[in-house]
Amino acid sequence: MKANKTNTIFLLSLLVIAALIIWLLFDRLGNQTGDDATRRGDDRPIPVETGTIERGPVELRRTFTGTLEASAAFVVAPKVGGRIEELTSDLGDEVAWNQVVARLDNAEFTQAVAQAEADVEVARANLKEAESLLEIARREVQRVESLSKRGVSSESEKDTAMANLLAREAHVQVSQAQLVRAEAELEAARVRLGYTKVTAGWSGREGEHRVVAERFVDEGETVSANASLLEIVDLNPITAVFYVTERDYALLKQGQKVLLRTDAYPDESFSGSLKRIAPVFRENTRQARVELVVDNSDLRLKPGMFVRATIVLDRVEEAVTIPAQALTKRKGEDGVFLVNEENTAVQWQPVTPGIRQDERLEIRDTDLSGRVVTLGQQLLDDGSAIILPQPEDADNGSSD
């Protein structure tokens, strides 16, 4: 009894599911039939909106987001350690090429120069003494040779005099070398003393100026050699950096003109040109680095600012363009619906889309004229009848 009841419930469930499936199938077929009838437009014209086909120049523009960077930057660091007595430049100051920007305590280095100068004087005195002894040795040799010719001196005395002469000559050479070494040490001490004046010595030329971007120390601090003191940057021209994908990479060329905008000056634009294109893509982002050069003679643009760069990648002087919303698809093919001269029917025209500029789209390889449907294409087929909306002034006239 219990088993029969279970079987009955199971059969009823199957019947309900089957009925639901059949209802869904009929509903789907009914909708498709209705859509086909509507698309054919056999009963009445289909209301649509249209746009004009125009001729003129069209540009392929891309806008990239990026960041401004200094065209050159370097960190000023002393070559010797010491206590900072003075910082002559601070954050935001303009710095000339080779200008002294910091001074270190130089007492120790001044003393080293004085010591080296004294060593040079000692070496010169030693050389003078050696040269005097050499002269005496030469006279002694001449005297012994004179006595030897008269048979007064012996060969041993002659040999002794010659040995003394050779020793004095060697002493002179050693003294000369010591003088050269002392003079070199003096020059090195003077160079180290000069290092206590820290200069902004970038690889530039007289008359160039840059700006202090950051200060790392304060006066009175003791720093080691090569410690960072100031960062100095070149802001004119300034560099804009952004990254592009493979789609746009092939269209970029050095020298292309660029228009930049930044939030700091929303009503202004700045002109620049494409300077460098990286030859490799970053593996993690699949993008390549691109650098622009922007004139910044008034120094209003600053490193770190967010910018939007617009580049014209391609341009066609005489192009056929349609409203972008007119493009549609039929059976996977791009095309438009052309309106006949009477504005009563449409014709399907396959097209090859090209450059899109704002709301206009270039059509390539096809010479079109007249008007195209911009709204209502989903209801149309080739040859469908259409009706255009009446102008507002016509409606107002009929109501009067």
Side-chain angles (χ1 to χ4, degrees):
M1 194 70 178
K2 194 172 184 180
N4 291 334
K5 187 176 181 179
T6 302
N7 292 335
T8 302
I9 294 173
F10 179 72
L11 290 174
L12 289 174
S13 300
L14 289 178
L15 289 174
V16 171
I17 294 173
L20 181 60
I21 292 174
I22 292 171
W23 180 80
L24 290 173
L25 289 174
F26 275 103
D27 183 68
R28 178 70 59 84
L29 291 173
N31 289 337
Q32 291 180 352
T33 303
D35 291 342
D36 292 341
T38 304
R39 180 172 294 176
R40 286 195 302 271
D42 295 335
D43 297 333
R44 62 182 183 276
I46 300 171
V48 297
E49 291 186 5
T50 62
T52 58
I53 299 173
E54 300 177 359
R55 292 179 179 272
V58 63
E59 295 178 337
L60 174 61
R61 298 177 181 176
R62 289 281 189 273
T63 299
F64 305 95
T65 58
T67 306
L68 293 179
E69 294 182 359
S71 57
F74 77 101
V75 175
V76 177
K79 295 184 178 181
V80 295
R83 182 175 59 84
I84 300 175
E85 284 193 342
E86 181 184 11
L87 285 173
T88 60
S89 298
D90 208 337
L91 186 67
D93 290 348
E94 191 175 77
V95 177
W97 177 71
N98 257 358
Q99 176 182 328
V100 176
V101 295
R103 290 184 174 86
L104 304 180
D105 180 15
N106 65 356
E108 181 179 349
F109 298 97
T110 302
Q111 183 62 33
V113 170
Q115 179 66 46
E117 290 174 344
D119 292 340
V120 168
E121 294 301 322
V122 171
R124 286 174 179 168
N126 290 337
L127 176 59
K128 188 174 183 180
E129 179 185 15
E131 290 173 344
S132 298
L133 294 174
L134 176 60
E135 183 62 27
I136 293 173
R138 285 173 179 167
R139 291 178 181 177
E140 179 66 18
V141 169
Q142 291 175 357
R143 187 181 67 82
V144 170
E145 286 179 348
S146 176
L147 293 175
S148 177
K149 290 178 181 179
R150 290 182 292 173
V152 176
S153 66
S154 62
E155 288 296 326
S156 62
E157 289 177 338
K158 184 177 180 180
D159 292 340
T160 300
M162 287 299 299
N164 185 49
L165 175 62
L166 294 175
R168 295 306 179 188
E169 288 177 347
H171 188 202
V172 169
Q173 292 177 354
V174 171
S175 299
Q176 289 174 340
Q178 289 175 342
L179 177 60
V180 171
R181 182 178 65 182
E183 289 174 342
E185 290 178 351
L186 173 59
E187 186 62 28
R190 288 172 176 169
V191 170
R192 286 192 293 270
L193 176 61
Y195 287 159
T196 60
K197 294 181 180 180
V198 185
T199 60
W202 65 83
S203 57
R205 59 182 182 272
E206 193 73 30
E208 286 189 4
H209 291 80
R210 293 186 179 181
V211 179
V212 178
E214 192 169 357
R215 188 191 71 199
F216 302 105
V217 295
D218 293 317
E219 293 180 352
E221 290 188 32
T222 299
V223 297
S224 59
N226 299 319
S228 299
L229 302 184
L230 303 171
E231 182 183 19
I232 297 179
V233 297
D234 187 8
L235 300 183
N236 185 34
I238 199 168
T239 300
V241 178
F242 61 89
Y243 294 85
V244 299
T245 60
E246 296 180 36
R247 182 187 67 170
D248 299 320
Y249 183 84
L251 300 174
L252 296 176
K253 298 178 182 178
Q254 290 185 352
Q256 286 176 322
K257 300 302 179 183
V258 186
L259 199 66
L260 273 80
R261 293 185 179 274
T262 179
D263 293 338
Y265 309 102
D267 299 328
E268 296 184 56
S269 59
F270 302 86
S271 60
S273 61
L274 200 153
K275 183 67 173 180
R276 299 181 185 87
I277 305 172
V280 296
F281 284 75
R282 292 187 173 186
E283 292 185 3
N284 56 340
T285 61
R286 301 300 177 186
Q287 294 180 332
R289 178 184 172 101
V290 177
E291 295 183 2
L292 313 175
V293 176
V294 185
D295 178 71
N296 192 31
S297 54
D298 53 8
L299 303 182
R300 290 193 298 164
L301 298 175
K302 308 298 182 183
M305 281 186 175
F306 176 82
V307 293
R308 288 172 291 275
T310 301
I311 305 179
V312 177
L313 300 178
D314 194 9
R315 179 181 173 88
V316 179
E317 293 295 337
E318 190 65 22
V320 176
T321 64
I322 62 171
Q325 63 267 33
L327 186 69
T328 187
K329 283 184 178 291
R330 288 293 182 270
K331 298 180 180 179
E333 184 179 34
D334 291 321
V336 295
F337 284 102
L338 295 173
V339 181
N340 63 7
E341 295 181 357
E342 294 78 17
N343 294 331
T344 58
V346 295
Q347 175 188 350
W348 170 251
Q349 175 63 55
V351 297
T352 302
I355 297 173
R356 175 167 179 169
Q357 180 180 349
D358 299 328
E359 298 303 321
R360 303 294 298 182
L361 178 66
E362 176 199 10
I363 297 301
R364 296 178 177 175
D365 306 326
T366 305
D367 190 10
L368 304 179
S369 60
R371 302 182 70 83
V372 291
V373 176
T374 59
L375 185 62
Q377 304 99 310
Q378 71 275 11
L379 303 176
L380 300 178
D381 278 329
D382 189 22
S384 296
I386 62 169
I387 183 172
L388 300 181
Q390 294 294 326
E392 293 183 2
D393 55 354
D395 295 342
N396 294 335
S398 61
S399 61
D400 291 340

